[in-house]
């Protein structure tokens, strides 16, 4: 294929834009800001789970406390009834002995229940503190996540802006390249994954960084300036300049 030597030079500008676009696509895929959002969301989830656990614990302890209070009530009522029976003067001596024995046992039971209530209150304090810590942690983690999302959105917007600018610049350069040469460039670009042309600089292909051997160099040197020459190693269009070392 032949193409104007000057037009071939434009492929270098095209390749520069393609390198920039490839780097931008890579940057978009690997933004640390995206990973930061995931980490912040994970921390938030952990606090939310801790909050649910603490709420469940508080609810369980509340239920336990109601049960204990009902037990204490029942014991008190029973003791009051027993005492009233003794005080009524209508009970026999045998009955009074039995009632007094029961009152002692009720007193022990009440003391035992009161110990349990105290223990429960301590556990409730711990659970309340855990709930507050989880709620505080979650609200701070939420703020962290929102901040991280803002940073990610800013970074993505930055990448999108740069991409648009390079796409516009590429389109402008491509507009100055004839259709067949552009089609060849694009076909090679698809194969290499980055660029379709490279400068021959100091006898080295700048696309694959391989130095041309004597035979290859002679072939390029002897080729018409308007002939489109290719790198035998990477297949790219080799663009000759004053720096080519020919
Ligand atoms: Zn090459």
């Amino acid at each position: 294929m032949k193409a104007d030597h000057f037009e071939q030079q434009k492929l270098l500008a095209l390749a520069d834009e393609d390198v920039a676009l490839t780097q931008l696509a890579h940057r978009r895929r690997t933004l640390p800001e995206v990973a930061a959002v995931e980490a912040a969301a994970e921390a938030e989830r952990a606090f939310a789970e801790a909050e649910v656990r603490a709420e469940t614990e508080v609810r369980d302890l509340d239920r336990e406390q109601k049960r204990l209070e009902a037990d204490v009530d029942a014991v008190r009522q029973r003791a009051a009834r027993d005492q009233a029976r003794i005080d009524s003067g209508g009970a026999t001596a045998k009955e009074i002995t039995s009632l007094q024995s029961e009152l002692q046992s009720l007193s022990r039971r009440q003391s035992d229940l009161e110990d349990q209530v105290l223990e429960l209150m301590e556990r409730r304090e711990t659970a309340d503190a855990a709930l507050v810590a989880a709620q505080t942690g979650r609200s701070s983690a939420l703020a962290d996540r929102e901040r991280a999302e803002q940073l990610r959105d800013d970074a993505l917007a930055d990448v999108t802006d740069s991409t648009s600018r390079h796409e516009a610049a590429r389109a402008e350069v491509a507009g100055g390249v004839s259709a067949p040469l552009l089609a060849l460039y694009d076909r090679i670009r698809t194969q290499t994954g980055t660029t379709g042309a490279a400068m021959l600089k100091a006898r080295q292909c700048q696309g694959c960084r391989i130095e041309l051997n004597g035979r290859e160099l002679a072939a390029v040197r002897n080729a018409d300036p308007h002939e489109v020459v290719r790198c035998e190693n990477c297949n790219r269009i080799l663009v000759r300049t004053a720096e080519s070392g020919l």
Side-chain angles (χ1 to χ4, degrees):
M1 182 192 277
K2 289 211 177 203
D4 182 82
H5 179 67
F6 178 69
E7 203 181 301
Q8 289 188 40
Q9 307 285 314
K10 291 182 182 172
L11 296 182
L12 294 179
L14 204 59
D16 284 347
E17 295 305 331
D18 283 335
V19 166
L21 286 167
T22 303
Q23 284 166 348
L24 283 165
H26 179 259
R27 192 176 156 218
R28 186 189 292 277
R29 283 195 304 274
T30 57
L31 276 180
E33 287 86 350
V34 171
V37 169
E38 279 163 20
E42 179 55 42
E44 196 186 353
R45 267 197 300 279
F47 277 118
E49 282 167 16
E51 192 179 351
V52 169
R53 276 196 303 275
E55 279 169 351
T56 307
E57 171 81 354
V58 166
R59 245 192 335 267
D60 289 350
L61 291 173
D62 274 352
R63 205 163 31 234
E64 178 76 0
Q65 191 180 341
K66 284 203 180 66
R67 191 183 63 76
L68 280 175
E69 282 166 359
D71 286 355
V72 170
D73 258 9
V75 168
R76 279 197 187 122
Q77 282 171 22
R78 181 73 183 253
R81 266 203 315 276
D82 288 356
Q83 192 60 54
R85 177 69 184 147
I86 292 169
D87 295 345
S88 73
T92 62
K94 192 181 169 201
E95 196 184 343
I96 286 172
T97 305
S98 157
L99 284 168
Q100 279 170 341
S101 160
E102 186 175 273
L103 277 172
Q104 275 175 7
S105 132
L106 285 171
S107 165
R108 277 195 303 275
R109 171 84 178 126
Q110 180 164 348
S111 158
D112 182 39
L113 286 170
E114 279 164 0
D115 283 350
Q116 288 182 44
V117 169
L118 280 179
E119 192 208 331
L120 202 71
M121 282 164 71
E122 275 174 26
R123 284 170 62 198
R124 175 64 196 259
E125 253 176 54
T126 307
D128 282 343
L131 181 58
V132 168
Q135 283 165 339
T136 310
R138 188 163 73 91
S139 101
S140 136
L142 170 75
D144 286 350
R145 176 176 58 78
E146 284 173 349
R147 219 170 9 248
E149 281 174 348
Q150 185 59 54
L151 289 174
R152 178 204 56 192
D153 291 348
D154 291 350
L156 281 173
D158 187 38
V159 171
T160 302
D161 270 6
S162 299
T163 303
S164 302
R165 273 189 283 108
H166 282 288
E167 278 171 351
R170 187 192 195 276
E172 194 175 330
V173 177
V177 179
S178 67
L181 184 61
L182 188 61
L184 175 64
Y185 173 93
D186 280 335
R187 197 164 64 241
I188 300 167
R189 178 175 62 94
T190 308
Q191 288 162 3
T192 64
T194 50
T195 57
M199 189 195 288
L200 176 62
K201 187 177 180 182
R203 304 177 173 193
Q204 192 190 57
C205 166
Q206 296 302 294
C208 62
R209 305 276 165 182
I210 299 270
E211 195 171 317
L212 274 63
N213 66 30
R215 178 188 56 76
E216 291 165 338
L217 216 54
V220 173
R221 193 181 295 124
N222 295 329
D224 184 288
H226 300 311
E227 180 68 31
V228 175
V229 295
R230 310 271 291 271
C231 170
E232 289 186 20
N233 182 58
C234 69
N235 215 21
R236 286 184 176 87
I237 296 166
L238 272 180
V239 178
R240 286 158 286 175
T241 72
E243 297 172 75
S244 290
L246 291 170

Short mmCIF file of all heavy atoms in Angstrom, two decimals, residues 61 64-65 68-69 114-128:
data_model
loop_
_atom_site.label_atom_id
_atom_site.label_comp_id
_atom_site.label_asym_id
_atom_site.label_seq_id
_atom_site.Cartn_x
_atom_site.Cartn_y
_atom_site.Cartn_z
N LEU A 61 -33.03 -9.35 76.51
CA LEU A 61 -32.84 -9.00 77.92
C LEU A 61 -34.10 -8.34 78.49
O LEU A 61 -34.46 -8.56 79.65
CB LEU A 61 -31.62 -8.08 78.09
CG LEU A 61 -30.27 -8.75 77.82
CD1 LEU A 61 -29.15 -7.74 77.85
CD2 LEU A 61 -30.01 -9.87 78.85
N GLU A 64 -36.49 -11.08 79.23
CA GLU A 64 -36.00 -11.78 80.42
C GLU A 64 -36.31 -10.97 81.68
O GLU A 64 -36.73 -11.52 82.71
CB GLU A 64 -34.48 -12.01 80.24
CG GLU A 64 -33.79 -12.68 81.41
CD GLU A 64 -34.05 -14.17 81.49
OE1 GLU A 64 -34.78 -14.68 80.62
OE2 GLU A 64 -33.56 -14.80 82.45
N GLN A 65 -36.13 -9.65 81.57
CA GLN A 65 -36.37 -8.79 82.73
C GLN A 65 -37.86 -8.81 83.12
O GLN A 65 -38.21 -8.90 84.30
CB GLN A 65 -35.93 -7.37 82.42
CG GLN A 65 -35.91 -6.48 83.67
CD GLN A 65 -35.46 -5.06 83.36
OE1 GLN A 65 -34.84 -4.83 82.32
NE2 GLN A 65 -35.77 -4.13 84.24
N LEU A 68 -38.58 -12.01 84.92
CA LEU A 68 -38.07 -11.98 86.30
C LEU A 68 -38.95 -11.11 87.19
O LEU A 68 -39.24 -11.45 88.34
CB LEU A 68 -36.64 -11.45 86.32
CG LEU A 68 -35.54 -12.45 85.95
CD1 LEU A 68 -34.20 -11.75 85.90
CD2 LEU A 68 -35.50 -13.60 86.95
N GLU A 69 -39.39 -9.96 86.62
CA GLU A 69 -40.22 -9.05 87.41
C GLU A 69 -41.56 -9.72 87.77
O GLU A 69 -42.06 -9.56 88.89
CB GLU A 69 -40.47 -7.75 86.64
CG GLU A 69 -39.26 -6.80 86.72
CD GLU A 69 -39.33 -5.66 85.70
OE1 GLU A 69 -40.30 -5.61 84.91
OE2 GLU A 69 -38.41 -4.84 85.71
N GLU A 114 -33.70 -11.41 92.87
CA GLU A 114 -33.15 -10.05 92.87
C GLU A 114 -31.68 -10.06 92.39
O GLU A 114 -31.25 -9.15 91.68
CB GLU A 114 -33.28 -9.42 94.26
CG GLU A 114 -34.68 -8.86 94.48
CD GLU A 114 -35.00 -8.57 95.94
OE1 GLU A 114 -34.12 -8.80 96.81
OE2 GLU A 114 -36.13 -8.11 96.21
N ASP A 115 -30.96 -11.12 92.76
CA ASP A 115 -29.58 -11.27 92.25
C ASP A 115 -29.60 -11.38 90.72
O ASP A 115 -28.77 -10.79 90.03
CB ASP A 115 -28.92 -12.53 92.83
CG ASP A 115 -28.47 -12.31 94.27
OD1 ASP A 115 -28.51 -11.14 94.72
OD2 ASP A 115 -28.11 -13.31 94.93
N GLN A 116 -30.57 -12.17 90.24
CA GLN A 116 -30.69 -12.35 88.78
C GLN A 116 -31.02 -11.03 88.09
O GLN A 116 -30.52 -10.74 87.01
CB GLN A 116 -31.76 -13.40 88.46
CG GLN A 116 -31.34 -14.81 88.79
CD GLN A 116 -32.43 -15.82 88.39
OE1 GLN A 116 -33.00 -15.72 87.31
NE2 GLN A 116 -32.72 -16.75 89.26
N VAL A 117 -31.89 -10.23 88.74
CA VAL A 117 -32.25 -8.93 88.17
C VAL A 117 -31.01 -8.04 88.08
O VAL A 117 -30.77 -7.38 87.07
CB VAL A 117 -33.35 -8.24 89.01
CG1 VAL A 117 -33.52 -6.79 88.59
CG2 VAL A 117 -34.68 -8.98 88.86
N LEU A 118 -30.20 -8.06 89.13
CA LEU A 118 -28.96 -7.25 89.13
C LEU A 118 -28.02 -7.67 88.00
O LEU A 118 -27.47 -6.84 87.29
CB LEU A 118 -28.25 -7.38 90.48
CG LEU A 118 -28.82 -6.54 91.62
CD1 LEU A 118 -28.02 -6.80 92.90
CD2 LEU A 118 -28.77 -5.05 91.27
N GLU A 119 -27.88 -9.00 87.89
CA GLU A 119 -27.00 -9.52 86.84
C GLU A 119 -27.51 -9.11 85.47
O GLU A 119 -26.76 -8.71 84.56
CB GLU A 119 -26.95 -11.05 86.94
CG GLU A 119 -25.85 -11.68 86.10
CD GLU A 119 -26.21 -13.09 85.66
OE1 GLU A 119 -26.96 -13.76 86.40
OE2 GLU A 119 -25.75 -13.49 84.57
N LEU A 120 -28.84 -9.16 85.34
CA LEU A 120 -29.48 -8.79 84.08
C LEU A 120 -29.24 -7.31 83.76
O LEU A 120 -28.99 -6.94 82.62
CB LEU A 120 -30.98 -9.07 84.18
CG LEU A 120 -31.70 -9.24 82.86
CD1 LEU A 120 -31.31 -10.55 82.22
CD2 LEU A 120 -33.21 -9.20 83.08
N MET A 121 -29.32 -6.49 84.79
CA MET A 121 -29.12 -5.06 84.58
C MET A 121 -27.70 -4.77 84.09
O MET A 121 -27.48 -3.90 83.25
CB MET A 121 -29.42 -4.29 85.88
CG MET A 121 -30.92 -4.12 86.11
SD MET A 121 -31.32 -3.64 87.81
CE MET A 121 -30.74 -1.95 87.82
N GLU A 122 -26.73 -5.55 84.61
CA GLU A 122 -25.35 -5.38 84.15
C GLU A 122 -25.23 -5.77 82.68
O GLU A 122 -24.60 -5.07 81.89
CB GLU A 122 -24.40 -6.25 84.99
CG GLU A 122 -23.95 -5.57 86.27
CD GLU A 122 -23.14 -6.52 87.15
OE1 GLU A 122 -22.52 -7.46 86.61
OE2 GLU A 122 -23.15 -6.33 88.38
N ARG A 123 -25.85 -6.91 82.34
CA ARG A 123 -25.80 -7.35 80.94
C ARG A 123 -26.50 -6.34 80.04
O ARG A 123 -26.09 -6.10 78.91
CB ARG A 123 -26.46 -8.73 80.80
CG ARG A 123 -25.56 -9.85 81.30
CD ARG A 123 -26.32 -11.17 81.38
NE ARG A 123 -26.81 -11.63 80.08
CZ ARG A 123 -27.76 -12.55 79.92
NH1 ARG A 123 -28.33 -13.08 81.00
NH2 ARG A 123 -28.15 -12.92 78.72
N ARG A 124 -27.58 -5.75 80.55
CA ARG A 124 -28.32 -4.76 79.78
C ARG A 124 -27.46 -3.52 79.51
O ARG A 124 -27.46 -2.95 78.43
CB ARG A 124 -29.60 -4.40 80.54
CG ARG A 124 -30.44 -3.29 79.95
CD ARG A 124 -30.98 -3.68 78.58
NE ARG A 124 -31.44 -2.50 77.88
CZ ARG A 124 -32.71 -2.14 77.77
NH1 ARG A 124 -33.66 -2.90 78.26
NH2 ARG A 124 -33.05 -1.03 77.13
N GLU A 125 -26.68 -3.12 80.53
CA GLU A 125 -25.78 -1.97 80.36
C GLU A 125 -24.76 -2.24 79.26
O GLU A 125 -24.51 -1.39 78.41
CB GLU A 125 -25.03 -1.70 81.67
CG GLU A 125 -25.50 -0.46 82.40
CD GLU A 125 -24.80 -0.30 83.74
OE1 GLU A 125 -23.55 -0.30 83.74
OE2 GLU A 125 -25.50 -0.19 84.77
N THR A 126 -24.20 -3.46 79.30
CA THR A 126 -23.22 -3.85 78.28
C THR A 126 -23.85 -3.85 76.89
O THR A 126 -23.28 -3.34 75.93
CB THR A 126 -22.67 -5.26 78.60
OG1 THR A 126 -22.18 -5.25 79.93
CG2 THR A 126 -21.56 -5.64 77.65
N ALA A 127 -25.07 -4.40 76.83
CA ALA A 127 -25.77 -4.48 75.53
C ALA A 127 -26.12 -3.08 75.02
O ALA A 127 -25.99 -2.79 73.83
CB ALA A 127 -27.03 -5.33 75.66
N ASP A 128 -26.55 -2.21 75.94
CA ASP A 128 -26.86 -0.83 75.54
C ASP A 128 -25.63 -0.13 74.98
O ASP A 128 -25.70 0.56 73.97
CB ASP A 128 -27.40 -0.03 76.75
CG ASP A 128 -28.86 -0.35 77.04
OD1 ASP A 128 -29.53 -0.92 76.15
OD2 ASP A 128 -29.33 -0.04 78.15
#
